[in-house]
Amino acid sequence: MTVILFALPAFFILIALELFWDWKKRTGHYRVNDAVTSLSAGVLSRVVAIGHQLIPFTAYVIAYEYIALFELSNAWWVWVVAFVAYDFFYYWNHRMGHEMSILWAAHVVHHSSEDYNLTTALRQTSGALFSWVFYLPLAVAGFSPEMIITVGALNLVYQFWVHTQHIDTLGWMEKVFVTPSNHRVHHAQNRVYIDKNYGGVFILWDRLFGTFIPELSNEKPVFGIRGALKSFNPLMANIQVYSRLARDSYYTSRWSDKFKVWFGRTGWRPADVAERFPEEKLPLNVFEKYDPKLSDSVKKYCVFQHAVMLAITVFLLLNVSVLSASQLLVLSATVIMCSIQIGTVLSGSKFALALEGPRLLVFPLMWFASGLGDVAIVFGALSAVSLTLLVCVIRKGYIRRTYTAADRRSNTSQVTTEL
């Protein structure tokens, strides 16, 4: 996590530069709602990881300490081998994440964005509980836990820059490394591109195992998933496929199918539940991005709330070892609730917007009660600013509605008079 934290400033600088370039070129690769949701999903994954990261780490440590065949040194060549080997097992982890339903249920979060930009790289799952299994062979081979955590983080950092549409093909690099062009293929929902280009750093594995395809000049990638999320709530992005699998497993009549729903090929459904709960997937030529219409004031409010949430998250991650259990709980709840609220507001929910007032009043009290002291004062001040912005958003909305109604009555009266 330390490597990721150090990389975060560079991530946001690059996002800002791409956003500026996108605005200058008017390419439309960024939307506030989708970008904020991607960032919120990334924040949520980091906070949730605090709770469950010890389980896979402990399993790896046990395997390393008790069944490792070798005791590898920290020589530079061992680090290089570890980096390459990690990417090999990442390929199979990633590939199975697309080919087995229960693994896809976790990984689908990363593919749920219907835009493709640098924020998409940060749209990560909060429910990847089984990925660590794929890396146990590295423990048996004798690679230390610290080494694997580090090369794994470097692998993830590399993947950030390939999530862009502003870089074309890169010549010889396309044959060896994952690049923006061949990774755009991976995020496309076009039939020809599905289940292709799984590599993290090296595209060599895809070439070796028959899953590579270049970006085709006559087939522009359409980003997103066939079973569209139609929500900007990061919680919904995390539970979307799990809920479908649970429903199908519950309602299917055959016991073997109840099991196969979870561990079968992605997309497979028992005939009886497919008939009872049909899922329509429209052809790509009529595909439209999910994009509820919101006022600029609501979007600006959500961006500000996201910035506040990011500040709280950074404080939480930097101080996780010194915060008390109650403080960890309160701050984690703040981040989780805020990410859900922002996403639900961006999805057009007036009820979620109405809940913002109580949230902004209750959470500062919780921060003070948990003993956060000066930090609670700073975050409390941000909540006061947020409340002011919220009042302005609601007031502007009310004035706009009142003006529209009054204007409509005036026009009606004028037409009546003329008649």
PDB file of all heavy atoms in Angstrom, residues 101-112:
ATOM      1  N   SER A 101     -17.603 -17.115 -13.084  1.00  0.00           N
ATOM      2  CA  SER A 101     -18.625 -16.162 -12.647  1.00  0.00           C
ATOM      3  C   SER A 101     -18.311 -15.497 -11.310  1.00  0.00           C
ATOM      4  O   SER A 101     -18.433 -14.282 -11.167  1.00  0.00           O
ATOM      5  CB  SER A 101     -19.989 -16.858 -12.571  1.00  0.00           C
ATOM      6  OG  SER A 101     -20.451 -17.182 -13.854  1.00  0.00           O
ATOM      7  N   ILE A 102     -17.911 -16.287 -10.310  1.00  0.00           N
ATOM      8  CA  ILE A 102     -17.706 -15.701  -8.984  1.00  0.00           C
ATOM      9  C   ILE A 102     -16.514 -14.752  -8.972  1.00  0.00           C
ATOM     10  O   ILE A 102     -16.493 -13.771  -8.223  1.00  0.00           O
ATOM     11  CB  ILE A 102     -17.543 -16.812  -7.914  1.00  0.00           C
ATOM     12  CG1 ILE A 102     -17.652 -16.181  -6.518  1.00  0.00           C
ATOM     13  CG2 ILE A 102     -16.240 -17.584  -8.097  1.00  0.00           C
ATOM     14  CD1 ILE A 102     -17.736 -17.205  -5.407  1.00  0.00           C
ATOM     15  N   LEU A 103     -15.516 -15.009  -9.817  1.00  0.00           N
ATOM     16  CA  LEU A 103     -14.367 -14.109  -9.906  1.00  0.00           C
ATOM     17  C   LEU A 103     -14.723 -12.872 -10.731  1.00  0.00           C
ATOM     18  O   LEU A 103     -14.268 -11.767 -10.437  1.00  0.00           O
ATOM     19  CB  LEU A 103     -13.169 -14.841 -10.506  1.00  0.00           C
ATOM     20  CG  LEU A 103     -12.677 -16.064  -9.721  1.00  0.00           C
ATOM     21  CD1 LEU A 103     -11.477 -16.707 -10.413  1.00  0.00           C
ATOM     22  CD2 LEU A 103     -12.305 -15.678  -8.288  1.00  0.00           C
ATOM     23  N   TRP A 104     -15.554 -13.067 -11.759  1.00  0.00           N
ATOM     24  CA  TRP A 104     -16.023 -11.928 -12.553  1.00  0.00           C
ATOM     25  C   TRP A 104     -16.875 -10.993 -11.705  1.00  0.00           C
ATOM     26  O   TRP A 104     -16.847  -9.773 -11.892  1.00  0.00           O
ATOM     27  CB  TRP A 104     -16.806 -12.425 -13.753  1.00  0.00           C
ATOM     28  CG  TRP A 104     -17.506 -11.358 -14.541  1.00  0.00           C
ATOM     29  CD1 TRP A 104     -18.852 -11.205 -14.709  1.00  0.00           C
ATOM     30  CD2 TRP A 104     -16.903 -10.287 -15.290  1.00  0.00           C
ATOM     31  NE1 TRP A 104     -19.123 -10.120 -15.504  1.00  0.00           N
ATOM     32  CE2 TRP A 104     -17.948  -9.528 -15.880  1.00  0.00           C
ATOM     33  CE3 TRP A 104     -15.574  -9.904 -15.515  1.00  0.00           C
ATOM     34  CZ2 TRP A 104     -17.703  -8.411 -16.674  1.00  0.00           C
ATOM     35  CZ3 TRP A 104     -15.336  -8.779 -16.306  1.00  0.00           C
ATOM     36  CH2 TRP A 104     -16.386  -8.045 -16.867  1.00  0.00           C
ATOM     37  N   ALA A 105     -17.616 -11.530 -10.758  1.00  0.00           N
ATOM     38  CA  ALA A 105     -18.467 -10.710  -9.886  1.00  0.00           C
ATOM     39  C   ALA A 105     -17.647  -9.663  -9.152  1.00  0.00           C
ATOM     40  O   ALA A 105     -18.136  -8.555  -8.872  1.00  0.00           O
ATOM     41  CB  ALA A 105     -19.203 -11.601  -8.888  1.00  0.00           C
ATOM     42  N   ALA A 106     -16.398  -9.996  -8.830  1.00  0.00           N
ATOM     43  CA  ALA A 106     -15.516  -9.029  -8.173  1.00  0.00           C
ATOM     44  C   ALA A 106     -14.854  -8.109  -9.197  1.00  0.00           C
ATOM     45  O   ALA A 106     -14.805  -6.893  -9.027  1.00  0.00           O
ATOM     46  CB  ALA A 106     -14.453  -9.765  -7.357  1.00  0.00           C
ATOM     47  N   HIS A 107     -14.365  -8.698 -10.280  1.00  0.00           N
ATOM     48  CA  HIS A 107     -13.575  -7.925 -11.244  1.00  0.00           C
ATOM     49  C   HIS A 107     -14.416  -6.979 -12.091  1.00  0.00           C
ATOM     50  O   HIS A 107     -13.908  -5.986 -12.618  1.00  0.00           O
ATOM     51  CB  HIS A 107     -12.796  -8.890 -12.147  1.00  0.00           C
ATOM     52  CG  HIS A 107     -11.885  -8.207 -13.115  1.00  0.00           C
ATOM     53  ND1 HIS A 107     -10.858  -7.365 -12.719  1.00  0.00           N
ATOM     54  CD2 HIS A 107     -11.863  -8.218 -14.487  1.00  0.00           C
ATOM     55  CE1 HIS A 107     -10.223  -6.905 -13.782  1.00  0.00           C
ATOM     56  NE2 HIS A 107     -10.819  -7.392 -14.868  1.00  0.00           N
ATOM     57  N   VAL A 108     -15.705  -7.253 -12.219  1.00  0.00           N
ATOM     58  CA  VAL A 108     -16.569  -6.473 -13.096  1.00  0.00           C
ATOM     59  C   VAL A 108     -16.560  -4.984 -12.745  1.00  0.00           C
ATOM     60  O   VAL A 108     -16.796  -4.140 -13.612  1.00  0.00           O
ATOM     61  CB  VAL A 108     -18.017  -7.027 -13.056  1.00  0.00           C
ATOM     62  CG1 VAL A 108     -18.657  -6.766 -11.694  1.00  0.00           C
ATOM     63  CG2 VAL A 108     -18.863  -6.427 -14.169  1.00  0.00           C
ATOM     64  N   VAL A 109     -16.273  -4.661 -11.496  1.00  0.00           N
ATOM     65  CA  VAL A 109     -16.246  -3.251 -11.072  1.00  0.00           C
ATOM     66  C   VAL A 109     -15.318  -2.441 -11.981  1.00  0.00           C
ATOM     67  O   VAL A 109     -15.648  -1.348 -12.428  1.00  0.00           O
ATOM     68  CB  VAL A 109     -15.780  -3.133  -9.607  1.00  0.00           C
ATOM     69  CG1 VAL A 109     -15.714  -1.668  -9.188  1.00  0.00           C
ATOM     70  CG2 VAL A 109     -16.712  -3.899  -8.690  1.00  0.00           C
ATOM     71  N   HIS A 110     -14.157  -3.015 -12.273  1.00  0.00           N
ATOM     72  CA  HIS A 110     -13.155  -2.301 -13.071  1.00  0.00           C
ATOM     73  C   HIS A 110     -13.631  -2.059 -14.504  1.00  0.00           C
ATOM     74  O   HIS A 110     -13.187  -1.112 -15.157  1.00  0.00           O
ATOM     75  CB  HIS A 110     -11.852  -3.103 -13.073  1.00  0.00           C
ATOM     76  CG  HIS A 110     -10.722  -2.424 -13.792  1.00  0.00           C
ATOM     77  ND1 HIS A 110     -10.260  -1.176 -13.434  1.00  0.00           N
ATOM     78  CD2 HIS A 110      -9.972  -2.807 -14.864  1.00  0.00           C
ATOM     79  CE1 HIS A 110      -9.271  -0.822 -14.241  1.00  0.00           C
ATOM     80  NE2 HIS A 110      -9.078  -1.796 -15.120  1.00  0.00           N
ATOM     81  N   HIS A 111     -14.553  -2.875 -14.969  1.00  0.00           N
ATOM     82  CA  HIS A 111     -15.025  -2.761 -16.353  1.00  0.00           C
ATOM     83  C   HIS A 111     -16.360  -2.037 -16.468  1.00  0.00           C
ATOM     84  O   HIS A 111     -16.869  -1.865 -17.572  1.00  0.00           O
ATOM     85  CB  HIS A 111     -15.146  -4.154 -16.974  1.00  0.00           C
ATOM     86  CG  HIS A 111     -13.831  -4.774 -17.306  1.00  0.00           C
ATOM     87  ND1 HIS A 111     -13.259  -4.713 -18.556  1.00  0.00           N
ATOM     88  CD2 HIS A 111     -12.954  -5.466 -16.532  1.00  0.00           C
ATOM     89  CE1 HIS A 111     -12.098  -5.335 -18.544  1.00  0.00           C
ATOM     90  NE2 HIS A 111     -11.887  -5.801 -17.325  1.00  0.00           N
ATOM     91  N   SER A 112     -16.931  -1.618 -15.360  1.00  0.00           N
ATOM     92  CA  SER A 112     -18.272  -1.036 -15.394  1.00  0.00           C
ATOM     93  C   SER A 112     -18.296   0.395 -15.903  1.00  0.00           C
ATOM     94  O   SER A 112     -19.367   0.921 -16.222  1.00  0.00           O
ATOM     95  CB  SER A 112     -18.913  -1.104 -13.996  1.00  0.00           C
ATOM     96  OG  SER A 112     -18.139  -0.394 -13.045  1.00  0.00           O
TER      97      SER A 112
END
